[in-house]
Amino acid sequence: LINLSLLLLKILMWNRKHLLDIDAFSRDDIENLIGLAGRLEPFSGIDKSKKFKPLGLCRGQIMTLWFEPGKENSTRTFGSFPAAMMRLGGSCKVFDETTSSMMKGESLEDTTRILSGHSDVIVDRHRDAGHVYTVASVSSVPVINAGNGSAQHPTQTLLDLYTMVKKFGRIEGLKVAVVGDLKFGRTVHSLVKGLEKFGVHATGICPQGLEMPGEFRTSGYEERIIDMNDTGQALSELKPDVVYATRIQAERFSGNSEKYNYVINKKVLSMLPKNAAIMHPLPRISELSREIDSDERSVYFH
């Protein structure tokens, strides 16, 4: 309890109001959050074999989910935020632009002022990368970025870094390959920047045309442009500890996306280190074969 209290105190001393991108975090911030997550996980209900008691840390608090309707559909992020809030004793409501006064012409800024008046935190996800920053500039309550267009997804990165710590006991010193759509995949944009804080310089593996944008390339980042049919060979040469696969974000560009398709299957797994981890922010389309789901290296559902 003393250790938990100290971790909570460190988090409460965090002096930024909003969580808008991974750049807001120092390495110490991330390590404190990972430590806190480890302490709280037994209370999360994830382990169904053990009894748990939900905590009341957020009792009386209201979270508002603001997800752009029809454009930013979500299973994991839309479901996990309210689940976490309710596990902590709070409640959650969903704001739908299509049933709001925005349909009558109310401005984004005025809508934000109203929502922050009866919320304690706003979780924002929008195709427009600047939407969350506008909301944060007006809101009187904290705003969390749950994915802003093809820019970043900082909370996914925190989850990914936590997963690496659980798998390997560390982040520093890991060899990480990010694979697939590095141009529009916001999760890899945040992840590469998050890894840099631990001295880890990721290697990108992607087809020509889906390279990592310049603003998300860190100083030690390297990239291999390949025919995606050669993904297995590229990974075999790299021998990464972590393979972070991403789907091709077909909805974010015009033209035929099938030419970029690739698959990680049992054959590819046979080329990887025995203790490697296969990660993916999900949803998967065809880039992860179902035949590897039962492999202990596949941690994307964990």
Side-chain angles (χ1 to χ4, degrees):
L1 286 175
I2 292 175
N3 289 336
L4 177 58
S5 297
L6 289 173
L7 282 167
L8 282 169
L9 181 61
K10 288 181 180 180
I11 300 303
L12 289 171
M13 291 175 65
W14 197 60
N15 62 2
R16 273 82 79 196
K17 178 178 179 180
H18 307 294
L19 198 171
L20 303 180
D21 48 49
I22 202 65
D23 306 284
F25 293 94
S26 67
R27 174 171 175 166
D28 283 345
D29 292 330
I30 294 173
E31 289 178 337
N32 285 334
L33 282 167
I34 286 175
L36 181 60
R39 293 285 180 175
L40 292 179
E41 187 174 323
F43 301 94
S44 69
I46 291 175
D47 186 351
K48 304 301 182 185
S49 65
K50 297 180 180 179
K51 293 182 179 180
F52 72 97
K53 184 177 181 180
L55 299 178
L57 298 174
C58 293
R59 185 174 292 115
Q61 305 292 299
I62 298 174
M63 171 186 286
T64 293
L65 294 182
W66 188 344
F67 280 48
E68 184 183 15
K71 300 288 181 65
E72 288 294 331
N73 297 328
S74 170
T75 301
R76 279 144 295 280
T77 309
F78 188 81
S80 61
F81 265 103
M85 188 62 165
M86 288 185 281
R87 293 290 192 197
L88 293 171
S91 58
C92 183
K93 62 188 181 71
V94 177
F95 172 68
D96 184 349
E97 294 178 11
T98 63
T99 60
S100 77
S101 291
M102 294 186 81
M103 297 296 98
K104 301 175 182 177
E106 184 172 58
S107 69
L108 170 60
E109 291 80 2
D110 284 356
T111 301
T112 299
R113 291 184 179 98
I114 298 302
L115 288 180
S116 62
H118 47 70
S119 307
D120 296 290
V121 61
I122 296 173
V123 178
D124 185 86
R125 181 167 172 145
H126 202 280
R127 179 169 291 198
D128 177 4
H131 186 273
V132 70
Y133 293 98
T134 301
V135 171
S137 71
V138 178
S139 175
S140 61
V141 299
V143 175
I144 298 176
N145 179 5
N148 59 324
S150 59
Q152 289 203 40
H153 198 336
T155 58
Q156 177 69 51
T157 293
L158 294 173
L159 176 62
D160 293 332
L161 295 176
Y162 179 59
T163 300
M164 290 179 195
V165 169
K166 287 193 68 177
K167 169 72 174 177
F168 298 100
R170 61 188 170 89
I171 299 171
E172 190 171 15
L174 293 178
K175 185 183 291 187
V176 180
V178 291
V179 185
D181 187 347
L182 308 185
K183 181 177 182 179
F184 298 110
R186 59 190 168 201
T187 58
V188 292
H189 299 165
S190 298
L191 180 61
V192 167
K193 286 198 165 193
L195 288 169
E196 185 186 34
K197 298 176 189 294
F198 292 83
V200 175
H201 304 295
T203 299
I205 297 175
C206 65
Q208 187 171 11
L210 294 183
E211 297 93 341
M212 181 78 70
E215 64 265 32
F216 301 115
R217 292 172 180 257
T218 57
S219 58
Y221 174 78
E222 296 181 357
E223 200 164 75
R224 300 186 184 185
I225 310 300
I226 67 167
D227 182 321
M228 294 305 280
N229 291 321
D230 298 327
T231 299
Q233 182 60 36
L235 290 173
S236 174
E237 294 171 0
L238 188 61
K239 295 180 173 57
D241 299 297
V242 176
V243 177
Y244 193 91
T246 65
R247 70 180 177 90
I248 305 303
Q249 308 269 315
E251 73 275 16
R252 301 197 189 277
F253 62 92
S254 58
N256 179 22
S257 64
E258 293 184 2
K259 62 182 179 180
Y260 299 123
N261 287 351
Y262 70 101
V263 63
I264 295 176
N265 51 25
K266 282 187 176 180
K267 181 179 179 181
V268 173
L269 246 61
S270 70
M271 305 178 186
L272 297 175
K274 296 296 184 182
N275 193 41
I278 308 299
M279 298 179 63
H280 193 301
L282 301 176
R284 65 175 168 189
I285 305 303
S286 58
E287 63 278 357
L288 293 181
S289 171
R290 269 63 175 173
E291 68 184 13
I292 71 170
D293 287 354
S294 59
D295 193 290
E296 63 182 10
R297 289 171 287 182
S298 299
V299 299
Y300 35 86
F301 287 123
H302 299 297

